[in-house]
Amino acid sequence: MKKRRLGKTNIMVSEVGFGGIPIQRITQNEAKDVIRFAVDNGVNFIDTARGYGISEEYIGNALCGIRKEVYIATKSMARTKDAMKEDIERSLKNLKTDYIDLYQLHNVKDEETFKQVMSEDGALEALLDAKREGKVLHIGITSHSLDFLKKILEYDVFETIMYPYNIVEDQAEELFKEANKRDIGIIVMKPLAGGALEDSELAISYILNNKNISTVIPGMESIEQVKQNISASYIEFNDEMMKKCIEIKKKYTNSFCRRCGYCMPCPQGIDIPFCFILKGYYDRYDLKEWATERYNGMKSHASDCLGCGICETRCPYNLKIREMLKEVVESFGF
């Protein structure tokens, strides 16, 4: 497996990392086999999160005896210092380790949230304390907001960023160039566009063709998926493959949410992009219970849409958002 430098962390990570969301669907023993197979075949970067159910525990148990062979990244939605401190300790316990290589502020999507995590009693303070104590080695941030991440680049404290990038969603290319100039590591999530793309080898090869990217983290729950995903590291991306990617992008141009957030705010308080994200997990990843729990926790739901259409006038991709929200209702029932 080829390796790339993860920005100013100076960590050399495998081009293809291990995304820890889907292993919630399998058993501990199965997860151990999948993770061990990935590590044996060159994968040395494993990403999970506090919010991924049993994922941290599965990974911690699977890595017993080989902890030093990999770099572990996790993340938390905690916004206050106390909550983040608690999550760090829980992650350390779950992952059965004395330190976490990369701890990330998870899904920071707007100025209000950012101000909270950066405040005196905000989540960042807990991460900085943990870094001084050696419990966290590096600090990163993840977001689905392109405009917001552009502002994040100004803060030296963040050593990595994580953002969706794939054949359909290529709007972050300029952001990646700037991040690379600033020596910020770039971790790509959603390489298969939330499960919309079927050819993982082609999809990951497309991503790795972008030399600004440090690593891509497709979710994996089987040895076969590991084989398919890591095979992309050994393929030379060519013009014929690019033609296929262009055709795929055309197919999804007017039907795929890029999570840019320009449709917001909704007069009914619906978090439109998040509705589409959860529908993807529900339908394509078969994480029905996990997605339903989060959908139920939303203040407003797709069924609250009154069909005013304001969101569609703002969407730069001309998506038929009202119709797409009806599809969300069909998945979740309301």
Side-chain angles (χ1 to χ4, degrees), residues 12-230:
M12 296 301 294
V13 295
S14 51
E15 287 188 328
V16 179
F18 188 95
I21 292 181
I23 57 172
Q24 301 173 70
R25 291 196 294 251
I26 59 179
T27 68
Q28 172 67 83
N29 287 337
E30 290 170 334
K32 180 178 179 179
D33 289 343
V34 174
I35 293 168
R36 289 293 184 112
F37 181 85
V39 174
D40 288 344
N41 285 273
V43 174
N44 75 346
F45 184 77
I46 298 177
D47 179 85
T48 181
R50 287 291 314 115
Y52 294 171
I54 202 77
S55 178
E56 281 188 338
E57 290 96 321
Y58 275 8
I59 290 169
N61 290 328
L63 295 178
C64 285
I66 60 168
R67 167 65 181 95
K68 293 184 179 180
E69 296 180 29
V70 300
Y71 299 104
I72 299 176
T74 192
K75 42 197 179 290
S76 167
M77 291 283 289
R79 302 311 187 207
T80 66
K81 182 176 181 178
D82 288 343
M84 179 60 82
K85 182 178 180 179
E86 183 178 330
D87 268 1
I88 292 169
E89 293 301 324
R90 189 175 291 126
S91 291
L92 289 166
K93 181 180 179 181
N94 289 342
L95 292 164
K96 298 185 184 305
T97 183
D98 296 327
Y99 66 96
I100 293 166
D101 298 280
L102 175 65
Y103 213 108
Q104 302 153 101
L105 291 169
H106 194 181
N107 195 23
V108 181
K109 58 184 178 180
D110 53 41
E111 284 293 337
E112 183 180 352
T113 305
F114 186 63
K115 287 179 181 178
Q116 184 180 12
V117 300
M118 298 293 285
S119 68
E120 184 176 347
D121 294 316
L124 180 63
E125 280 297 312
L127 287 173
L128 291 172
D129 286 347
K131 189 174 183 180
R132 284 188 285 268
E133 295 166 1
K135 295 179 179 180
V136 168
L137 303 189
H138 304 284
I139 299 172
I141 190 167
T142 84
S143 181
H144 288 90
S145 170
L146 182 62
D147 290 340
F148 179 69
L149 275 185
K150 288 177 182 176
K151 299 177 183 178
I152 292 299
L153 300 186
E154 303 292 331
Y155 293 83
D156 292 336
V157 67
F158 299 112
E159 300 166 85
T160 67
I161 58 172
M162 182 187 291
Y163 185 78
Y165 179 73
N166 52 64
I167 294 170
V168 183
E169 300 175 274
D170 60 0
Q171 64 269 20
E173 290 187 349
E174 290 304 315
L175 170 74
F176 290 166
K177 289 179 182 177
E178 183 60 30
N180 190 47
K181 288 180 183 177
R182 295 172 182 266
D183 204 21
I184 295 173
I186 299 166
I187 304 166
V188 167
M189 60 172 156
K190 304 293 188 293
L192 303 184
L197 306 178
E198 296 180 359
D199 189 339
S200 62
E201 190 173 83
L202 176 66
I204 294 173
S205 295
Y206 171 85
I207 293 167
L208 295 180
N209 189 50
N210 187 329
K211 300 308 177 185
N212 291 315
I213 289 165
S214 306
T215 186
V216 54
I217 50 169
M220 303 185 230
E221 60 176 317
S222 70
I223 288 175
E224 186 58 37
Q225 287 178 356
V226 176
K227 290 178 180 177
Q228 292 173 356
N229 291 333
I230 66 176

